[in-house]
Amino acid sequence: FGPFVMLAALTVSACASTRAASTPTRAPQSPTATSSAAHVNYQQLHLYDVPGPPTDIAVSANEIFVAEVYAGARPADVTASILKAALRVGATLAEVPGSRVGPGAGIYGIAIHDNAVYMSEAASGTRAASGIFRVATPPMAIVGGSTASGGSAGNGDGGPALSAVLQGPQGFAFDSSGDLFIAEAGDSRIRLVRDGTISTYAGTGACTGPTPPNGPAQTTAVCNPSLVAIGRDGAVYAAQRDELAWIVRIMRDTVTAISNDFPVTGLAIDTDGSLLAADGREGRIVRIATTGPASASVVASGLGSVRGLAVGGDGSIYFASRTQSTSAIWGLYQLRRMP
C-alpha cells in the first residue's frame, strides 16, 4: 500500500442494483453496486427493525447477532444485551441468553468463533466488568473481566489474559489460528491474546491526535482504536469508530495507514479477501483492495446512517442503518449478492 488511499477521488466502475419488494418505503435509497475486480450486483433487503442504534453486528451460517446498546455514556440504570434472529426477512428478534450486561456497561463488539458467540463489555459510568466474554449463562470471561479499576497503561502484558484489566475494549476478532486481537480504545492499543497470554500488538498507549498512524507497531501511537478485522493473509486492520477517520493495516510489525477520508463505523473482510468499510458520514460501503496496487471503490451508497458491518458465507453484506426519512427507526439490512 501507499501512504493511504484518499477516497474522495473514488470512481464507480459499475452501477447496477435491484430493490427487493420486501423493502419498505422508509428504507435507505437503493444501493449502487460495484467491485474493483469485477461487476457485482446486490439486492437490498430490509430484514427487520431493531430497538436502538447498535454498536456491532455479526453473522453465522443461519443467524444474525446485534448489540442492543447506545454508544457513549449511558444512564446508570440502562442495561444492554445481544439480540439474534434468523437470516430472513421478518424474523423475530430474541435476546441471547447470558448476554445481558449490568447497569452502566455496554457491549461494543461481537464475534463468532468455533460456533460460539463472544462479546466485549466495557464500563460506561458505574464501574462494571470489562473484558471479552464467551456468551453463556453465566458469561465466561476469556480476557480480563475484572471489576477492579484500571491499572497502569498496558496492564497485564506478558501475563495471563484473564488477569489483564482492559480499559474500554471494543471491537475484536479471531484469526484462523484462534489468536484474538482486541481494539482497546481506552488505552490506545491493539492487544493480542495467544495461548492464554496477553501482549501489546500495536500502539504505545499514547494518543497524538488526527495524524494517521504510520511506523513500527511497538513505537507508533494508535489513538483510540475501536474496530478490528483480520485479513486472509493475517494482516490486522484497525480503525477508530466515527472519529479521526483513519484505517490502518498492521503486518510484520509495521503500521500503515490505508485510508484517511471518512468516519468509519464498521469493518469486515469480504469473501474475496478485500476490506469493506462502512462510511458513517456519506452512508456508503467502501471496498479497499488488500492485494496488488492500492485501490478503492464504492460497493453501495445512499444507505443512510450506517453502523456495523458483517459478511455472510454466501457473500451477502449485512449492516445496520437509521433511515434518512425516519430518524427514529434503525433497521438491519442485507445486500444479497446476485448472479
Side-chain angles (χ1 to χ4, degrees), residues 70-187:
Y70 285 79
R74 304 171 62 248
D77 60 346
V78 175
T79 61
S81 65
I82 296 174
L83 305 178
K84 70 174 182 177
L87 290 175
R88 57 180 173 82
V89 173
T92 301
L93 285 161
E95 183 173 298
V96 178
S99 67
R100 185 159 291 277
V101 300
I107 301 169
Y108 293 92
I110 312 173
I112 299 171
H113 177 64
D114 283 347
N115 298 315
V117 180
Y118 295 81
M119 66 182 185
S120 64
E121 178 182 345
S124 179
T126 303
R127 183 73 190 181
S130 185
I132 309 297
F133 297 83
R134 179 172 177 170
V135 178
T137 307
M140 183 177 68
I142 64 169
V143 183
S146 171
T147 58
S149 60
S152 60
N155 189 305
D157 272 353
L162 280 171
S163 299
V165 178
L166 297 184
Q167 302 181 49
Q170 295 204 17
F172 63 99
F174 294 88
D175 69 10
S176 59
S177 300
D179 291 344
L180 172 61
F181 295 84
I182 306 165
E184 189 181 14
D187 199 23

